[in-house]
Amino acid sequence: MHRTRHLPSRPRPSALRPAVWAAVLALLAACAACGGGDDDGGDGGARAGGTDRDGWQLTWSDEFKGARGTPPDPHKWVHDTGGEPQWGNEEWQYYTDRTANAALDGKGRLVLTARRDQLPDMADCPYGSCDITSGRLTTKGRFTQAYGKFEARIRVPEGKATLPAFWMMGDNDEEKSWPGNGEIDAMEVVGGEPGLVYGTVHGPGYAEEGLGGSHELPDGERYADGFHTYGVEWTKDRITWTVDGTAYHSDRRARHDAKHPWVFDHPFYLLLNLAVGGTWPGPVTSSTPLPARMTVDWVRVYERS
């Protein structure tokens, strides 16, 4: 979907004394691998049953432990399958439940792979070249939660026409169709803007463009160059987006009105997917690197303890 693209305001640095700076630098050095762009499978939060230093209690997680080539845990994830028009956005990919498109790598990670592939069911796709498959997973029917902290450590693919996402949908979609059920996009990195991550909400009156913000990496860095932890902290009055633990945008209940209602007061389920082509990232070309891989180190959900 099209997104609003407001760059976040940058916080002013505080004036710290030299001794405090030394302590801060020591802590940063000790925690360098906690949530940034490394490739080491960093932790970044409390494990199952634990409470982190900020008072968050883990309620659900997937660390993706399992043998290489095995499917994601069916007790936690469900595959969405098929192609347009059910997903919107005029995307090109066809989602399957095959391990060729969603599987564990044997190193504690999930890999969603978009690849050139042609299946019999794809013969009548309305958009694109009908030869790209990918993966889309959801916890619908397995896990939902209202409010809390929702995080995933992900390495996104590189290349134009890709659109990886970590997001949530309101679990009341059988009573209220989209956008009335609400949508919270914790992370979208469109391939043509490799240094930007977008965080957005969608609801009645702000369905297509959404309301949100973005965060840009410094010095021409790209999100595809390493793992980053993407998250939202959601309360009854506010949703705040973070990258590697740093907040970059908030949406507040008080900013909404009758024409743009706040629809974030009920449980939501999680989604991970790798889209290709469509109205935002644009068409697939000969330079689009396929296969493209979205690698997920972990997904964790917390509530206040």
Side-chain angles (χ1 to χ4, degrees), residues 9-146:
S9 59
R10 298 187 182 277
R12 296 170 57 186
S14 58
L16 296 178
R17 296 179 180 177
V20 179
W21 269 118
V24 170
L25 291 174
L27 284 172
L28 289 174
C31 297
C34 288
D38 59 300
D39 194 27
D40 66 351
D43 190 350
R47 293 283 177 169
T51 302
D52 75 5
R53 68 186 63 184
D54 295 321
W56 291 103
Q57 177 73 36
L58 191 69
T59 57
W60 184 95
S61 70
D62 198 341
E63 308 294 328
F64 302 112
K65 304 299 184 184
R68 178 182 175 87
T70 56
D73 187 346
H75 297 99
K76 295 184 176 182
W77 299 100
V78 176
H79 292 270
D80 277 340
T81 60
E84 287 282 1
Q86 59 184 316
W87 312 126
N89 303 334
E90 300 182 6
E91 298 166 2
W92 287 30
Q93 82 289 328
Y94 186 95
Y95 291 122
T96 84
D97 59 2
R98 305 177 309 158
T99 53
N101 298 115
L104 307 185
D105 69 354
K107 300 177 181 179
R109 293 166 180 162
L110 166 74
V111 182
L112 300 183
T113 304
R115 61 178 71 247
R116 294 279 187 185
D117 204 356
Q118 206 155 21
L119 303 175
D121 291 343
M122 297 170 63
D124 193 29
C125 60
Y127 303 108
S129 53
C130 297
D131 65 350
I132 299 173
T133 61
S134 190
R136 172 169 158 147
L137 300 177
T138 169
T139 65
K140 184 174 175 59
R142 301 290 190 269
F143 171 79
T144 64
Q145 182 171 307

Side-chain angles (χ1 to χ4, degrees), residues 184-221:
I184 303 171
D185 299 330
M187 178 278 288
E188 291 176 294
V189 178
V190 62
E193 299 174 290
L196 283 174
V197 60
Y198 291 96
T200 318
V201 290
H202 299 265
Y206 49 105
E208 297 300 326
E209 292 290 335
L211 301 173
S214 63
H215 179 74
E216 184 173 13
L217 289 174
D219 303 322
E221 295 177 26

Side-chain angles (χ1 to χ4, degrees), residues 237 251-257 262:
D237 293 316
D251 184 61
R252 298 173 177 83
R253 177 192 291 268
R255 297 174 61 184
H256 289 251
D257 55 28
W262 174 272

